[in-house]
Amino acid sequence: MPGQGHSISVGSRLIILSIVLLGAGLLVSYVHNQWKRRKLPPGPPGLPVLGNALQLGEFPWHKFTAWKEKYGPLIYLDGAGQPIVVINTLEVAVDLLDRKAGVTSDRPHIIVPDMMTGGLFTPFVGHNDIWRRMRKATQESLRTGTAQFNKAAQHKDGVQLALSMLTDPSHWYAHCRQAVASTIMQVTYGKSPPMWKYTENVAKFHEFVDGVTRAAMPGAHYVEIAPWLRYVPSQFAPWKRMAGAFFAKHSKSFRDIYEDTRTTLDTGDQSLSLVRDFIQDGAKYGLSQEEAYWLAAAAFAGGQAAYGVLAWWMMAMILFPETQRRAHEEIDRIIGRGRIPSIQDCENLPYMQAMVKESIRWRPIDPIGLPRRASEEVHYQGYVIPKGTTMIANVWAMHRDARSYGPDAHLFNPARFIDDETGKLKPGPAGTKEESHVTFGFGRRICPGRHVAVSMLVMQMTLVLWAMKIEGLRDGKGEHVPIDVDGCIDDGLVVRPIPFGVKLTPRFPEVLAMLEKEYIALGLNDE
Ligand code: HEM
């Protein structure tokens, strides 16, 4: 038959067709990937496999800020296979994290910390129904009576802080930490527990935060790089046993503290608190009991972060004495020296309010915020941010942007938030909402405790400055003992200053007696 020797069987044709189709498919996918790659935001070249993972250093915000100069407001990094984008300007952060919140409000899925917290620790919870319930409950509770009521705690802890600092200045750092923890304990659980129990509880929270933060560090567990390892039975996976034991231990202690409040409520003490609301209105929010006690724990752990703000502020008082002088002047003019500042005074102290904003802006305690995850592919200004990308807001760079804060953005200057003509607070840079900075985050996940934090800090700083002058130490030759302005400690919860010594002097002879009298009147000596 003519041409028979060259004929191709139907089976062979099918094989050839399949190969051609497969080849075409691979080609299309390759071209598509190349196209997408070209559409990724710019970023520094990395190593094969490891990408940019080894380039970030201990304090990555400095590296991100240096890269901003070269690559611009949106940077793409390869974290050993994990796509990462770093957002370096306010404009881009507002566009991506506020306006596109529907697809940028998820958190990165980190296997071990998720197991250690049972998927219940609010700041780590994904953009899912558990988070929605938790968010609604915290926002509504903090918006209503709790924040108002706890102003009494803010005043009380502020008095205690001022007194402890004057009587025991060498431990000023610990006093700041304790004052914040005490107020936040009251806001969350409605009580200041006896000192021994309080110390014990705070220590448990620290152990918890420390444990999850260490587990969330890149490279802490192989399973984050090779997720299939999660299917290895626990007998062969020590990290799984550790995560399970950690969850059980902390879940129990969070439940115990929560139940303590229930007992207090049952005995008639109706102090307002987050937990009181969760117990009484948990059904309204749809919170399970377990979700409620984990949510309370998240609020307590998150709220303690504010002590880092106080520590940076103390440094600013030493380095920028002119700002301290102006604050003293405002306090003397509005409150005087004949009485102790009250919570009602705070709204009449615009410079002190500006000082709190500036302390939170100048040295943000979370310079790269809490990371987000793109839950869908995001298209932005011609770039593609792939689904699953970790999104980091470089708050540090945003706060040092001269376009937003002027050429002195690197200096501590509360007056930048004051209107020269009216002497009142003026709006901050576009996109910073009422805060004038972005240390509290963005969009749907912005910190729900920010109002509590700000009012507590205004009260504490006002009480401390009403009572004392803050200076740095001098050596035997009268020279200033240097302070490490650029160094810091990242303790997982906050980025805080390396401890330094201070000299604290009462501003007038009656200060100590007035504080002690108030201390007794507030019943602090009974605690
Ligand atoms: C100066 C003090 C504080 C700072 C700087 C701070 C900062 C933050 C930041 C950056 C976030 C993540 C926001 C985002 O993803 O965009 C956050 C979340 C959170 N904060 Fe705060 N916070 C402070 C005080 C507080 C206080 C006093 C409370 C409670 C009383 C609190 C409770 C929470 C909770 C529950 C979350 C998780 C919210 C969520 O994931 O939806 N924080 N905070």
Side-chain angles (χ1 to χ4, degrees), residues 382-458:
Y383 296 123
V384 171
I385 299 172
K387 178 177 175 178
T389 298
T390 297
M391 306 178 79
I392 294 175
N394 185 1
V395 172
W396 177 267
M398 294 175 206
H399 287 176
R400 263 153 193 68
D401 192 333
R403 290 175 311 139
S404 305
Y405 294 100
D408 69 341
H410 58 296
L411 301 178
F412 181 87
N413 175 18
R416 72 176 78 251
F417 298 123
I418 300 278
D419 184 317
D420 285 341
E421 283 183 15
T422 62
K424 296 194 172 136
L425 285 177
K426 64 180 182 193
T432 58
K433 306 173 198 77
E434 81 235 76
E435 315 301 341
S436 311
H437 57 75
V438 285
T439 305
F440 288 123
F442 299 88
R444 294 184 188 173
R445 300 207 75 143
I446 193 169
C447 174
R450 61 196 184 284
H451 301 118
V452 172
V454 167
S455 82
M456 169 179 73
L457 289 167
V458 176

Coordinates of all heavy atoms in Angstrom, one line a residue, residues 382-458:
G382 N 0.5 47.9 38.5 CA 1.2 47.1 37.4 C 2.0 46.0 38.0 O 2.5 45.2 37.2
Y383 N 2.1 45.8 39.3 CA 2.8 44.7 39.9 C 1.8 43.6 40.3 O 0.6 43.9 40.6 CB 3.5 45.1 41.2 CG 4.6 46.1 40.9 CD1 4.6 47.3 41.6 CD2 5.7 45.8 40.0 CE1 5.7 48.3 41.3 CE2 6.7 46.8 39.8 CZ 6.7 48.0 40.5 OH 7.7 48.9 40.2
V384 N 2.4 42.4 40.5 CA 1.5 41.3 41.0 C 2.1 40.8 42.3 O 3.3 40.6 42.4 CB 1.6 40.1 40.0 CG1 0.9 38.9 40.6 CG2 0.9 40.4 38.7
I385 N 1.3 40.7 43.3 CA 1.7 40.2 44.6 C 1.0 38.8 44.7 O -0.2 38.7 44.8 CB 1.3 41.1 45.8 CG1 1.9 42.5 45.6 CG2 1.6 40.5 47.1 CD1 1.4 43.5 46.6
P386 N 1.8 37.7 44.6 CA 1.2 36.4 44.5 C 0.4 36.1 45.8 O 0.7 36.5 46.9 CB 2.4 35.4 44.4 CG 3.5 36.3 44.0 CD 3.3 37.7 44.5
K387 N -0.6 35.2 45.6 CA -1.4 34.7 46.8 C -0.4 34.0 47.7 O 0.5 33.3 47.3 CB -2.4 33.7 46.2 CG -3.3 33.1 47.3 CD -4.3 32.2 46.7 CE -5.1 31.4 47.8 NZ -6.1 30.6 47.3
G388 N -0.6 34.2 49.0 CA 0.2 33.6 50.0 C 1.5 34.4 50.4 O 2.2 34.0 51.3
T389 N 1.6 35.6 49.7 CA 2.8 36.4 50.0 C 2.7 37.0 51.5 O 1.6 37.4 51.9 CB 2.9 37.6 49.0 OG1 3.1 37.1 47.7 CG2 4.0 38.6 49.4
T390 N 3.8 37.0 52.2 CA 3.8 37.6 53.5 C 4.0 39.1 53.2 O 4.9 39.5 52.5 CB 5.0 37.1 54.3 OG1 4.8 35.7 54.6 CG2 5.2 37.8 55.7
M391 N 3.2 40.0 53.9 CA 3.3 41.4 53.6 C 3.7 42.1 54.9 O 3.1 41.9 56.0 CB 1.9 41.9 53.2 CG 1.3 41.2 52.0 SD -0.3 41.7 51.6 CE 0.1 43.2 50.6
I392 N 4.8 42.9 54.8 CA 5.4 43.5 56.0 C 5.3 45.0 55.8 O 5.8 45.6 54.8 CB 6.9 43.1 56.1 CG1 6.9 41.6 56.5 CG2 7.6 43.9 57.2 CD1 8.3 41.0 56.5
A393 N 4.8 45.7 56.8 CA 4.8 47.2 56.8 C 6.0 47.7 57.5 O 6.1 47.5 58.7 CB 3.5 47.7 57.4
N394 N 6.8 48.4 56.7 CA 8.0 49.0 57.4 C 7.7 50.3 58.0 O 7.9 51.4 57.5 CB 9.1 49.2 56.3 CG 10.4 49.6 56.9 OD1 10.6 49.8 58.1 ND2 11.4 49.9 56.0
V395 N 7.1 50.2 59.2 CA 6.6 51.3 60.0 C 7.8 52.3 60.3 O 7.7 53.5 60.2 CB 6.0 50.8 61.3 CG1 5.7 52.0 62.3 CG2 4.8 50.0 61.0
W396 N 9.0 51.7 60.5 CA 10.2 52.5 60.8 C 10.4 53.5 59.7 O 10.6 54.7 60.0 CB 11.3 51.6 61.0 CG 12.7 52.2 61.3 CD1 13.6 52.6 60.3 CD2 13.2 52.7 62.5 NE1 14.6 53.2 60.9 CE2 14.4 53.3 62.2 CE3 12.7 52.6 63.8 CZ2 15.2 53.8 63.2 CZ3 13.6 53.1 64.8 CH2 14.8 53.7 64.5
A397 N 10.4 53.0 58.5 CA 10.7 53.9 57.3 C 9.6 54.9 57.1 O 9.9 56.1 56.9 CB 10.9 53.1 56.0
M398 N 8.4 54.5 57.4 CA 7.2 55.4 57.2 C 7.4 56.6 58.2 O 7.1 57.8 57.8 CB 5.9 54.7 57.4 CG 5.6 53.7 56.3 SD 4.1 52.8 56.7 CE 4.5 51.2 55.8
H399 N 7.8 56.3 59.4 CA 7.9 57.4 60.4 C 9.1 58.2 60.2 O 9.3 59.3 60.9 CB 8.0 56.7 61.8 CG 6.6 56.2 62.2 ND1 6.4 55.5 63.4 CD2 5.4 56.3 61.7 CE1 5.2 55.2 63.5 NE2 4.5 55.6 62.5
R400 N 10.1 57.8 59.3 CA 11.2 58.6 59.1 C 11.1 59.3 57.7 O 12.1 59.9 57.2 CB 12.5 57.8 59.1 CG 13.1 58.0 60.5 CD 13.9 56.9 61.1 NE 14.1 57.2 62.5 CZ 13.1 57.2 63.4 NH1 11.9 56.9 63.0 NH2 13.4 57.4 64.6
D401 N 10.0 59.3 57.1 CA 9.8 59.9 55.8 C 9.6 61.4 55.9 O 8.6 61.9 56.5 CB 8.5 59.2 55.2 CG 8.4 59.5 53.7 OD1 8.9 60.6 53.3 OD2 7.9 58.7 52.9
A402 N 10.5 62.2 55.4 CA 10.5 63.6 55.5 C 9.2 64.2 54.8 O 8.7 65.2 55.2 CB 11.7 64.3 54.9
R403 N 8.7 63.5 53.8 CA 7.5 64.0 53.2 C 6.3 64.0 54.1 O 5.4 64.8 54.0 CB 7.1 63.1 51.9 CG 8.1 63.2 50.8 CD 7.7 62.2 49.7 NE 7.5 60.9 50.3 CZ 6.6 60.1 49.9 NH1 5.7 60.4 48.9 NH2 6.4 58.9 50.4
S404 N 6.3 63.1 55.1 CA 5.2 63.0 56.0 C 5.4 63.8 57.3 O 4.5 64.4 57.9 CB 4.9 61.6 56.4 OG 4.7 60.8 55.3
Y405 N 6.7 63.8 57.8 CA 7.0 64.3 59.1 C 8.0 65.5 59.1 O 8.4 66.0 60.1 CB 7.4 63.2 60.1 CG 6.4 62.2 60.3 CD1 6.3 61.0 59.7 CD2 5.3 62.5 61.2 CE1 5.3 60.1 59.9 CE2 4.3 61.6 61.5 CZ 4.3 60.4 60.8 OH 3.2 59.5 61.0
G406 N 8.4 65.9 57.9 CA 9.3 67.0 57.8 C 10.8 66.6 57.9 O 11.1 65.4 58.2
P407 N 11.7 67.5 57.7 CA 13.1 67.2 57.6 C 13.7 66.7 59.0 O 14.7 66.1 59.0 CB 13.8 68.5 57.2 CG 12.8 69.6 57.4 CD 11.4 68.9 57.3
D408 N 13.0 67.0 60.1 CA 13.4 66.6 61.4 C 12.8 65.3 61.8 O 12.7 65.0 63.0 CB 13.2 67.7 62.4 CG 11.7 67.9 62.7 OD1 10.9 67.5 61.9 OD2 11.4 68.5 63.8
A409 N 12.3 64.5 60.9 CA 11.5 63.3 61.2 C 12.3 62.3 62.1 O 11.7 61.6 62.9 CB 11.1 62.5 59.9
H410 N 13.7 62.4 62.1 CA 14.4 61.5 62.9 C 14.6 62.0 64.3 O 15.1 61.3 65.2 CB 15.8 61.3 62.3 CG 16.6 62.6 62.1 ND1 16.2 63.6 61.3 CD2 17.7 63.0 62.7 CE1 17.0 64.6 61.4 NE2 18.0 64.3 62.3
L411 N 14.1 63.2 64.6 CA 14.2 63.8 66.0 C 12.9 63.6 66.7 O 11.9 63.4 66.2 CB 14.6 65.2 65.9 CG 15.9 65.5 65.1 CD1 16.1 67.1 65.1 CD2 17.1 64.9 65.8
F412 N 13.0 63.7 68.1 CA 11.9 63.7 68.9 C 11.3 65.1 69.1 O 12.0 66.0 69.7 CB 12.3 63.1 70.3 CG 11.1 63.0 71.3 CD1 10.3 61.8 71.3 CD2 10.8 64.0 72.2 CE1 9.3 61.7 72.2 CE2 9.8 63.9 73.1 CZ 9.0 62.7 73.1
N413 N 10.2 65.4 68.5 CA 9.6 66.7 68.6 C 8.1 66.7 68.6 O 7.4 66.8 67.6 CB 10.1 67.5 67.3 CG 9.5 68.8 67.2 OD1 9.0 69.4 68.2 ND2 9.5 69.4 66.0
P414 N 7.5 66.6 69.8 CA 6.0 66.6 69.9 C 5.4 67.7 69.2 O 4.2 67.6 68.8 CB 5.8 66.6 71.4 CG 7.1 66.1 72.1 CD 8.2 66.6 71.1
A415 N 6.0 68.9 69.2 CA 5.4 70.1 68.6 C 5.0 69.9 67.1 O 4.2 70.7 66.6 CB 6.3 71.3 68.7
R416 N 5.5 68.9 66.5 CA 5.2 68.6 65.1 C 3.6 68.4 65.0 O 3.1 68.5 63.9 CB 6.0 67.5 64.5 CG 5.6 66.1 64.9 CD 6.4 65.0 64.2 NE 7.8 64.9 64.7 CZ 8.9 65.3 64.1 NH1 8.8 65.8 62.9 NH2 10.1 65.1 64.6
F417 N 3.0 68.0 66.1 CA 1.6 67.6 66.0 C 0.7 68.8 66.6 O -0.5 68.6 66.8 CB 1.3 66.4 66.9 CG 2.0 65.1 66.3 CD1 2.9 64.4 67.2 CD2 1.9 64.7 65.0 CE1 3.6 63.3 66.7 CE2 2.5 63.6 64.5 CZ 3.4 62.9 65.4
I418 N 1.4 69.9 66.9 CA 0.6 71.0 67.5 C 0.5 72.1 66.5 O 1.4 72.5 65.8 CB 1.4 71.6 68.7 CG1 1.5 70.5 69.8 CG2 0.7 72.8 69.3 CD1 0.4 70.3 70.7
D419 N -0.7 72.7 66.4 CA -1.0 73.8 65.5 C -0.4 75.1 66.2 O -0.8 75.4 67.3 CB -2.5 73.9 65.3 CG -2.8 75.0 64.3 OD1 -2.2 76.1 64.4 OD2 -3.7 74.8 63.5
D420 N 0.5 75.8 65.5 CA 1.2 76.9 66.2 C 0.2 78.0 66.6 O 0.4 78.7 67.6 CB 2.2 77.5 65.2 CG 3.5 76.6 65.1 OD1 3.7 75.8 66.0 OD2 4.2 76.8 64.1
E421 N -0.8 78.2 65.8 CA -1.7 79.3 66.0 C -2.7 79.0 67.2 O -2.9 79.8 68.1 CB -2.5 79.6 64.8 CG -1.7 80.4 63.8 CD -2.4 80.9 62.6 OE1 -3.6 80.8 62.6 OE2 -1.7 81.2 61.7
T422 N -3.3 77.8 67.1 CA -4.3 77.5 68.2 C -3.7 76.8 69.4 O -4.3 76.8 70.5 CB -5.4 76.5 67.6 OG1 -4.7 75.3 67.3 CG2 -6.0 77.1 66.4
G423 N -2.5 76.3 69.3 CA -1.9 75.5 70.4 C -2.5 74.2 70.6 O -2.2 73.4 71.5
K424 N -3.5 73.8 69.7 CA -4.2 72.5 69.8 C -3.5 71.5 68.9 O -2.7 71.8 68.0 CB -5.6 72.7 69.5 CG -6.4 73.6 70.4 CD -7.9 73.4 70.2 CE -8.5 74.2 71.4 NZ -9.6 75.0 70.9
L425 N -4.0 70.2 69.1 CA -3.5 69.1 68.2 C -3.9 69.4 66.8 O -5.1 69.8 66.6 CB -4.0 67.8 68.7 CG -3.4 67.2 69.9 CD1 -4.1 65.9 70.2 CD2 -1.9 66.9 69.7
K426 N -3.1 69.1 65.8 CA -3.5 69.2 64.4 C -3.5 67.8 63.8 O -2.8 66.9 64.3 CB -2.7 70.2 63.6 CG -1.2 69.8 63.5 CD -0.4 70.8 62.7 CE 1.0 70.4 62.5 NZ 1.9 71.4 62.1
P427 N -4.2 67.7 62.7 CA -4.3 66.3 62.1 C -2.9 65.9 61.6 O -2.1 66.7 61.2 CB -5.2 66.5 60.8 CG -5.9 67.8 61.0 CD -5.1 68.6 61.9
G428 N -2.6 64.6 61.7 CA -1.3 64.0 61.3 C -1.3 63.8 59.8 O -2.2 64.2 59.1
P429 N -0.2 63.3 59.3 CA -0.1 63.0 57.8 C -1.2 62.2 57.3 O -1.8 61.3 58.0 CB 1.2 62.3 57.7 CG 2.0 62.5 59.0 CD 0.9 62.8 60.0
A430 N -1.6 62.4 56.0 CA -2.6 61.6 55.4 C -2.4 60.1 55.6 O -1.3 59.6 55.5 CB -2.7 61.9 53.9
G431 N -3.5 59.4 56.0 CA -3.4 58.0 56.1 C -3.1 57.5 57.5 O -3.1 56.3 57.8
T432 N -2.8 58.5 58.4 CA -2.4 58.0 59.8 C -3.6 58.1 60.7 O -3.5 57.9 61.9 CB -1.3 58.9 60.4 OG1 -1.7 60.3 60.4 CG2 0.0 58.7 59.5
K433 N -4.8 58.5 60.2 CA -6.0 58.6 61.0 C -5.8 59.4 62.2 O -5.0 60.3 62.2 CB -6.5 57.2 61.3 CG -6.6 56.3 60.1 CD -7.0 54.9 60.3 CE -6.6 54.0 59.1 NZ -5.2 53.7 59.0
E434 N -6.6 59.2 63.3 CA -6.5 60.1 64.4 C -5.2 59.9 65.2 O -4.8 60.8 66.0 CB -7.7 59.9 65.4 CG -7.5 58.7 66.3 CD -8.7 57.7 66.2 OE1 -8.7 57.0 65.3 OE2 -9.5 57.7 67.2
E435 N -4.4 58.9 64.9 CA -3.2 58.6 65.7 C -2.0 59.5 65.3 O -1.1 59.7 66.1 CB -2.7 57.1 65.6 CG -3.8 56.1 65.7 CD -4.6 56.1 67.0 OE1 -4.0 56.7 68.0 OE2 -5.7 55.6 67.1
S436 N -1.9 59.9 64.0 CA -0.8 60.6 63.5 C 0.4 59.8 63.2 O 1.5 60.3 62.9 CB -0.4 61.8 64.3 OG -1.5 62.6 64.7
H437 N 0.3 58.5 63.5 CA 1.4 57.5 63.2 C 0.8 56.2 62.8 O -0.5 56.1 62.9 CB 2.4 57.4 64.4 CG 1.6 56.9 65.6 ND1 1.2 55.6 65.8 CD2 1.2 57.6 66.7 CE1 0.6 55.6 67.0 NE2 0.5 56.7 67.5
V438 N 1.6 55.2 62.5 CA 1.0 53.9 62.1 C 1.5 52.7 63.0 O 1.5 51.6 62.6 CB 1.1 53.6 60.6 CG1 0.2 54.5 59.8 CG2 2.6 53.8 60.2
T439 N 2.0 53.0 64.2 CA 2.5 52.0 65.1 C 1.4 51.0 65.5 O 1.7 49.9 65.8 CB 3.1 52.6 66.3 OG1 4.1 53.5 65.9 CG2 3.8 51.6 67.2
F440 N 0.1 51.4 65.4 CA -1.0 50.5 65.8 C -1.5 49.7 64.6 O -2.4 48.9 64.8 CB -2.1 51.3 66.4 CG -1.9 51.9 67.7 CD1 -2.0 53.3 68.0 CD2 -1.5 51.1 68.8 CE1 -1.7 53.8 69.3 CE2 -1.3 51.6 70.1 CZ -1.4 53.0 70.3
G441 N -0.9 49.8 63.5 CA -1.2 49.0 62.4 C -2.3 49.6 61.4 O -2.5 50.8 61.4
F442 N -2.9 48.7 60.7 CA -3.8 49.2 59.6 C -5.0 48.4 59.5 O -5.1 47.3 59.9 CB -3.0 49.0 58.2 CG -1.7 49.8 58.2 CD1 -0.5 49.2 58.7 CD2 -1.7 51.0 57.6 CE1 0.7 49.9 58.6 CE2 -0.5 51.7 57.6 CZ 0.7 51.2 58.1
G443 N -6.0 49.0 58.7 CA -7.2 48.3 58.2 C -8.0 47.5 59.3 O -8.1 48.0 60.4
R444 N -8.4 46.4 58.9 CA -9.3 45.6 59.7 C -8.6 45.1 61.0 O -9.3 44.7 61.9 CB -9.9 44.4 59.0 CG -10.8 44.8 57.8 CD -11.4 43.6 57.2 NE -12.1 44.1 56.0 CZ -12.6 43.3 55.0 NH1 -12.5 42.0 55.2 NH2 -13.2 43.8 54.0
R445 N -7.3 45.0 60.9 CA -6.6 44.4 62.1 C -5.9 45.5 62.9 O -5.1 45.1 63.8 CB -5.6 43.4 61.6 CG -6.3 42.3 60.8 CD -5.6 41.0 60.8 NE -5.7 40.3 62.1 CZ -5.8 38.9 62.2 NH1 -5.9 38.2 61.1 NH2 -5.8 38.3 63.3
I446 N -6.2 46.7 62.7 CA -5.6 47.8 63.5 C -5.8 47.4 65.0 O -6.8 46.9 65.4 CB -6.1 49.2 63.2 CG1 -5.3 50.3 63.8 CG2 -7.6 49.3 63.6 CD1 -5.6 51.7 63.2
C447 N -4.8 47.8 65.9 CA -4.9 47.4 67.3 C -6.2 47.9 67.9 O -6.5 49.1 68.0 CB -3.7 48.0 68.0 SG -3.8 47.8 69.8
P448 N -7.0 46.9 68.5 CA -8.3 47.3 69.1 C -8.1 48.0 70.4 O -9.0 48.6 71.0 CB -9.0 46.0 69.2 CG -8.0 45.0 69.3 CD -6.8 45.5 68.5
G449 N -6.8 47.9 71.0 CA -6.6 48.4 72.3 C -5.9 49.8 72.3 O -5.5 50.3 73.3
R450 N -5.8 50.4 71.1 CA -5.0 51.6 71.0 C -5.6 52.8 71.8 O -4.8 53.6 72.4 CB -4.9 52.1 69.5 CG -6.2 52.4 68.8 CD -6.0 52.4 67.3 NE -7.2 52.8 66.6 CZ -8.3 52.0 66.4 NH1 -8.3 50.8 66.9 NH2 -9.4 52.4 65.7
H451 N -6.9 52.9 72.0 CA -7.4 54.0 72.8 C -7.1 53.8 74.3 O -6.7 54.8 75.0 CB -8.9 54.1 72.6 CG -9.3 54.4 71.2 ND1 -10.1 53.5 70.5 CD2 -8.9 55.3 70.3 CE1 -10.2 54.0 69.2 NE2 -9.5 55.1 69.1
V452 N -7.1 52.6 74.7 CA -6.7 52.3 76.1 C -5.3 52.7 76.3 O -4.9 53.3 77.3 CB -6.9 50.8 76.5 CG1 -6.4 50.5 77.8 CG2 -8.4 50.5 76.4
A453 N -4.4 52.2 75.3 CA -3.0 52.4 75.5 C -2.7 53.9 75.5 O -1.9 54.4 76.4 CB -2.3 51.8 74.3
V454 N -3.3 54.7 74.6 CA -3.0 56.1 74.6 C -3.4 56.8 75.8 O -2.7 57.6 76.4 CB -3.7 56.8 73.3 CG1 -3.6 58.3 73.4 CG2 -3.0 56.3 72.0
S455 N -4.7 56.5 76.3 CA -5.1 57.3 77.5 C -4.3 56.9 78.7 O -3.9 57.7 79.6 CB -6.6 57.2 77.7 OG -6.9 56.0 78.4
M456 N -3.9 55.6 78.8 CA -3.0 55.2 79.9 C -1.7 55.9 79.9 O -1.2 56.4 80.9 CB -2.8 53.7 79.8 CG -1.8 53.1 80.7 SD -1.6 51.3 80.5 CE -0.8 51.2 78.9
L457 N -1.1 56.0 78.7 CA 0.2 56.7 78.5 C 0.2 58.2 78.8 O 1.1 58.7 79.5 CB 0.8 56.4 77.1 CG 1.2 55.0 76.9 CD1 1.5 54.7 75.4 CD2 2.5 54.6 77.7
V458 N -0.9 58.8 78.4 CA -1.0 60.3 78.7 C -1.0 60.5 80.2 O -0.3 61.3 80.8 CB -2.3 60.9 78.1 CG1 -2.4 62.4 78.5 CG2 -2.2 60.8 76.5

